Amino acid sequence: MRRSVVLWLAVGWVGLAVLPWYAIEDGFWNFAWLDSYPVDSDVGPALLQGLGHGRWWLLPVCLALAAPLGILGRWKTDPWFAAVLLMAGGFGLAYTLAQGFAIGIRGWEFEALETAFGELGDRQFGMGYGAVLVCGAFLFFLTEGIAARGAIKGDVFVVGSIGLVIALVAAFIFFPITRILISAVQDNDENFAPALFFTKLFSGDIWGLECLTANLTCGVAWNSLFMAILVGAGTTAMGLAFALIATRTGFRAKKLLRVLTVLPIITPPFVIGLAVILLFGRSGAVSTFLEWAFAIEPSRWIYGLPGIWLAQMLAFTPIAFLVLIGVVEGISPAMEEAAITLRADTWRTFVTVSLPLMRPGLANAFLLGFIESLADFGNPMVLGGDYDVLSIEIFFAIVGAQHDQSRAAVLAIVLLAFTLSAFYAQRRWLGRKSYATITGKGDSGLHMHLPRRLKILSYGTALPWAALTAVIYCTIMFGGFVESWGRDHGFTLRHYLEAFSVTTGAHGLVWSGAAWNSFWTTLEIAAISAPLTAGIGLLTAYILVRQRFVGKDAFEFGTMLSFAIPGTVIGIGYILAFNVPPIELTGTGVILVICFMFRNMPVGVRAGIAAMSQIDQSLDEASLTLGARSFTTLRKIVLPLLRPAIIAALVFSFVRAMTAISAVIFLVSANYDMATSYILGRVENSDFGLAIAYSSVLILVMLCAIVLIQVAVGQRRLGRRGAQQFGLEGSTG
Amino acid sequence: MKLPNGYRVAFAAAAMMLTAGTAAQAAENFTLYCSPQIEWCQLVIAEFQKATGIKVAMTRKSSGETFAQINAERKNPKGDVWWGGTGDPHLQAAEEGLTAEYKSPMLDKLHPWAQKQAKQSGYKTVGIYMGALGFGYNTELLAKKGLPEPKCWKDLIKPAYKGEVQIANPNSSGTAYTTLATIVQLFGEDGGFDYMKQLHKNINQYTKSGSAPIKAAARGETTIGIVFLHDAVTQRVNGFPIIPVAPCEGTGYEIGSMSIIKGARNLENAKKWYDWALGPDAQKLMPKAKAYQVPSNAGVAPPPEAPKVEQIKLIDYDFEKYGSSAERKRLLAKWDKDVKPLPR
């Protein structure tokens, strides 16, 4: 008998017989319910609910939880052990969910059940402490049973992890997305209308090609696709240039370069777009200068493709950089040295050895840039002009004057199809080749210097870009200290005072600024969600790279899904799915944390996969052969080699939680208002001064957080690389 | 054997996640979805709490977002009152049965236009302010280009303004839809669409958001923006060279509205707010919150910065017809087919 089974059995019974089954309306950490516990029917545990309060449908749950008691004392090699656990876990989980969905706040949820069983005369609320523990126990029994049957070499940790990730992805990605995508085949009165779906899917404003023949814009699908390819390619190239400079040259101001490359990622939405308009717009500083100096008539060229591309390049190059730097640095110098010893010159070595070894990084960077561009909302909103893209169309299909949720769902399906194709194209390009160069064998070489022309190329693209970034950020910082950005440039601290003033009242400090409330909430939510996101992302990456199991491709795609879907769709999907029992989360902070976790998890997964495919499996195998279990191997061997990926995942998820906007709009509530939704409200009202002051403070906070994360996670040491030759400091920005 | 560490980690993670859990929702007395600018929301709520002692939990979202949220929450409503924001989505919510009927005792204190709109919606929504449609132009750009001052709707279709006018796309913006409906009511359906086709040639961009054209005009990105006049006033007060114009032919208007959400959990407090918000104590706060619309309470004078009502020729806007989703869909489809694909 395994101790873990006993423990989870105990957990399950505590959940069933002691803790309240239903969610407590006053909040998770509010213990006022203890007063009426356990007699009150709202706070009683499931066992009592079933026996005493007439909620008979909860009793089969007890039955499923009682079954494993029968196998206490049996060994896991005993066929009964696996069979009973499988049955108990599988049935328990399925039944608990089924009863949750069948009986809601107004009794039976489905008419068929009502006619079959008659009116229920009772109702139930969202699941609470008890239900969470019981479901956890069932999930564990199920995975333990599967492992005992011999799946994945009987490795309980791996099977359990796969089970956990699948359960979470199903609950928090598939379920809400299905809830909204189903409206694609419904008309606006929720009747099934497949014909309408095809009319909408093949309509001219999605697929039209008028731009090829006349002076009109093409369909949104082509616009989005074209933009995404341009941005994906552009950010990958630029990210590579920065990564090469940071790891393989003696460039002096590397630290500054890193800050500059990270800045755009930590900028709240809309701000970059606004700065671009103030510089390049019809009345922008650059345009005005060009008119004054060369009499070039100012035009509106920035609105449309050029503007969106520029802003998205600024915003997403850092993501490519974060993914690529770990990969570029991780390539073993041994291969390059071998090539050079065989008399290849540095250029040839780079093209035939280094570049192919960077493929996982390049492919993942492109994929992220591509997807980000498709889903981006803030930049096309400000700079789009008449260049319509999918994400904006989706947003306005939902919140615009037409309120056409079904059209939004159709557009979201088109967007998903693009993402799916990009994802498979990437898989094919990488193929089944091995990119492992971190092998544990003697590895004391140093990276070769960049070939001359590549160095010139890298400097030539990266440095002007860095300068542009610097100018844009100076413009933004400047905007917070002037009366009216772009109009009245008199110095003022008024915006900062309005947002962040602190006064002393009768009882000590009073946080009287308008922004404090949302600021602290944002910080709390971001700090909680970042480690969780990184954790689940890297765990998933580990499963995907190191384990083989049936349905792995579908599993991988499932984890990418939430990233590829525009925030608006996710936001509405979350309300549709989690506003009613059995999982009732709207109006809480939990829904924000969960939304961020599953929305940003793919970056952790991508970074983890890219980094992990460089680490030779023989390292894991050595550890396993020496008797370590898979969890120990993960912790002691794989994780320390993954530090750049961990940093990328932590930084990205923290920053995203502070800067995300489109999904968040629908999930914030009175007690949990987020910084970005506050800023958006100000921007809508043209109150740019305060919006920018707030953004500047957020940028500073995020910079500090990034430094903290770097220090806390530490650096990866690979041979002598990084330390002496170029005088480098870390491995990731 | 011991407990696999993975589960401990998973467990700790789950526990941590729940620390962000729900807190103190019972202490509140009602939930308000607020659609105007945040200063206004906060000011009105503070005054209401002072006057009644009822605590308000407020979430601010634009009117389109609020409509989408209330629609998504319809099976288990979380909000009680939806206050402010343009009237169109309020009327749509009434039509779709998302909001509840309530006849406030304050109704007969309101301007006739507000009473009429309430009646047309079956008392499911009520006007709290009125804002007339018009346009604003950037004086500096106009002078630089040597263009005449536009005064009427008909001025905007003159070839001199080619590429200088901005308006939102009526498919995404209620403001632009109100413009379309106004033009149709002013010039008749055929004449109205002829006007829209000629205007199309002068448009440099159809924005997504209704107030974006005047923001662009303020920063000199376009010369003229077609918007609600109070949005133009806001830019002027913010120090931009914008002149708001009430068109000479007459113009339509929006009624910023308020509705009680059907299934509200705190109905009594919701009604208290409703009555109070229609009274003079609430409506006289508007200038303080930089809101330059006309209050719906007949006893409250409009803010001094607001466009003078006497100088605006208001048409008899038919909210019943042009607020219905059938008519809206028909007009938008026609605009999509007849106007949008034309070359510019």
Side-chain angles (χ1 to χ4, degrees), chain A residues 52 117 159 221 595 605 620 664:
Chain A
F117 296 100
V159 180
C595 179
V605 176
D620 301 26
V664 170

Side-chain angles (χ1 to χ4, degrees), chain A residues 350-576:
Chain A
F350 182 80
V351 172
T352 57
V353 177
S354 315
L355 205 58
L357 284 171
M358 289 172 196
R359 275 185 164 208
L362 295 174
N364 280 303
F366 178 84
L367 189 64
L368 284 176
F370 182 87
I371 294 176
E372 281 278 357
S373 165
L374 279 181
D376 179 36
F377 165 76
N379 295 315
M381 179 86 178
V382 178
L383 289 162
D386 281 331
Y387 194 85
D388 292 331
V389 292
L390 283 168
S391 53
I392 296 287
E393 285 293 304
I394 291 171
F395 181 77
F396 282 101
I398 289 180
V399 311
Q402 284 194 311
H403 297 296
D404 193 346
Q405 188 173 310
S406 135
R407 180 176 148 79
V410 170
L411 292 169
I413 288 173
V414 173
L415 205 154
L416 259 186
F418 286 156
T419 316
L420 187 72
S421 318
F423 179 70
Y424 273 101
Q426 180 234 18
R427 293 288 298 269
R428 282 193 72 98
W429 191 60
L430 287 183
R432 296 212 171 275
K433 298 193 192 88
S434 163
Y435 299 95
T437 62
I438 301 175
T439 56
K441 300 186 188 104
D443 175 18
S444 57
L446 292 170
H447 283 302
M448 63 171 194
H449 273 284
L450 282 183
R452 204 178 145 68
R453 47 189 138 160
L454 193 65
K455 198 163 159 182
I456 293 170
L457 193 67
S458 296
Y459 278 140
T461 46
L463 293 185
W465 189 254
L468 178 65
T469 313
V471 169
I472 295 234
Y473 277 86
C474 291
T475 318
I476 293 173
M477 290 291 171
F478 172 73
F481 290 102
V482 295
E483 280 292 334
S484 172
W485 199 22
R487 184 74 202 162
D488 176 4
H489 290 163
F491 177 81
T492 178
L493 281 175
R494 157 174 90 87
H495 307 302
Y496 281 91
L497 288 177
E498 194 183 339
F500 294 105
S501 60
V502 178
T503 47
T504 44
H507 307 285
L509 289 180
V510 179
W511 306 88
S512 53
W516 284 118
N517 193 6
S518 56
F519 178 77
W520 292 125
T521 311
T522 307
L523 213 55
E524 183 193 344
I525 301 276
I528 294 171
S529 59
L532 292 173
T533 314
I536 191 166
L538 294 175
L539 181 68
T540 309
Y542 171 76
I543 295 171
L544 284 172
V545 175
R546 288 296 197 253
Q547 309 294 339
R548 285 177 200 288
F549 53 94
V550 186
K552 195 166 116 174
D553 285 357
F555 177 77
E556 184 175 359
F557 177 67
T559 62
M560 292 297 289
L561 205 57
S562 70
F563 194 62
I565 291 194
T568 317
V569 176
I570 295 264
I572 293 287
Y574 264 57
I575 299 185
L576 289 173

Side-chain angles (χ1 to χ4, degrees), chain A residues 709-731:
Chain A
I709 290 171
Q710 296 246 23
V711 171
V713 177
Q715 292 164 16
R716 170 175 72 170
R717 290 237 163 263
L718 296 174
R720 293 190 288 135
R721 255 173 278 168
Q724 300 91 348
Q725 191 187 16
F726 309 126
L728 287 191
E729 60 295 322
S731 50

Side-chain angles (χ1 to χ4, degrees), chain A residues 2-4 7-8 11 24-30 76 105-106 133 140 143 156-157 159-161 164 179 188 215-216 277-278 281-284 291 297-298 300 303 381 384-386 388 392-393 395-396 398-403 405 484-487 498 514 524-525 528 531-532 572 575-576 578-581 584 586-590 593-594 597 629 631 665-673 677-678 680-688, chain B residues 1-7 9-26 28 31 35 37-39 42 57-69 71-78 88-89 92 96 140-141 144-145 163-164 166 169-174 177 203-209 211 215-216 218-223 234-235 238-241 265 290 328-329 332-333 336 340-344:
Chain A
R2 293 178 60 112
R3 271 181 37 205
S4 55
L7 189 113
W8 275 99
V11 167
I24 307 294
E25 229 189 296
D26 307 339
F28 197 87
W29 295 115
N30 185 325
K76 74 169 173 180
I105 42 168
R106 291 180 191 154
L133 292 191
F140 174 80
T143 54
V156 178
F157 168 70
V159 180
S161 306
L164 182 73
R179 277 306 308 263
N188 282 339
N215 186 20
L216 289 163
I277 288 183
L278 282 186
R282 186 178 173 184
S283 298
E291 189 187 18
E297 173 84 353
R300 296 173 42 86
Y303 294 95
M381 179 86 178
D386 281 331
D388 292 331
I392 296 287
E393 285 293 304
F395 181 77
F396 282 101
I398 289 180
V399 311
Q402 284 194 311
H403 297 296
Q405 188 173 310
S484 172
W485 199 22
R487 184 74 202 162
E498 194 183 339
E524 183 193 344
I525 301 276
I528 294 171
L532 292 173
I572 293 287
I575 299 185
L576 289 173
F578 302 127
N579 189 52
V580 286
E584 194 179 336
T586 47
T588 66
V590 176
V593 173
I594 290 179
M597 257 179 90
R629 286 174 307 121
F631 180 75
I665 294 175
F666 296 99
L667 302 178
V668 294
S669 50
N671 291 318
Y672 293 95
D673 196 10
S677 98
Y678 184 87
L680 178 66
R682 293 290 183 168
V683 170
E684 272 175 16
N685 198 37
S686 306
D687 196 352
F688 293 113
Chain B
M1 287 183 86
K2 62 188 237 229
L3 173 72
N5 286 309
Y7 285 91
V9 175
F11 208 83
M16 257 183 80
M17 199 170 82
L18 293 164
T19 55
T22 59
Q25 288 195 326
E28 284 140 17
T31 304
S35 292
Q37 62 264 39
I38 192 149
E39 298 109 308
Q42 284 172 341
M58 182 269 286
T59 314
R60 201 217 77 94
K61 294 181 176 84
S62 76
S63 50
E65 288 155 11
T66 309
F67 178 87
Q69 174 143 16
N71 195 17
E73 287 178 348
R74 64 162 77 198
K75 281 188 183 151
N76 190 11
K78 295 285 162 78
D88 252 15
Q92 251 182 305
E96 295 197 11
E140 290 172 6
L141 270 181
K144 194 175 145 199
K145 300 247 163 196
E164 299 296 337
Q166 227 174 65
N169 184 327
N171 283 302
S172 65
S173 148
Y177 174 72
I203 300 290
N204 58 38
Q205 180 192 346
Y206 288 103
T207 64
K208 294 291 174 184
S209 133
S211 61
K215 292 174 189 164
R219 297 191 177 277
E221 300 297 308
T222 182
T223 310
T234 305
Q235 295 301 337
N238 283 347
F240 290 100
R265 294 168 183 207
K290 290 191 192 164
R328 171 199 308 273
K329 284 217 165 88
L332 288 177
D336 270 341
K340 185 81 196 291
L342 294 177
R344 291 215 279 270

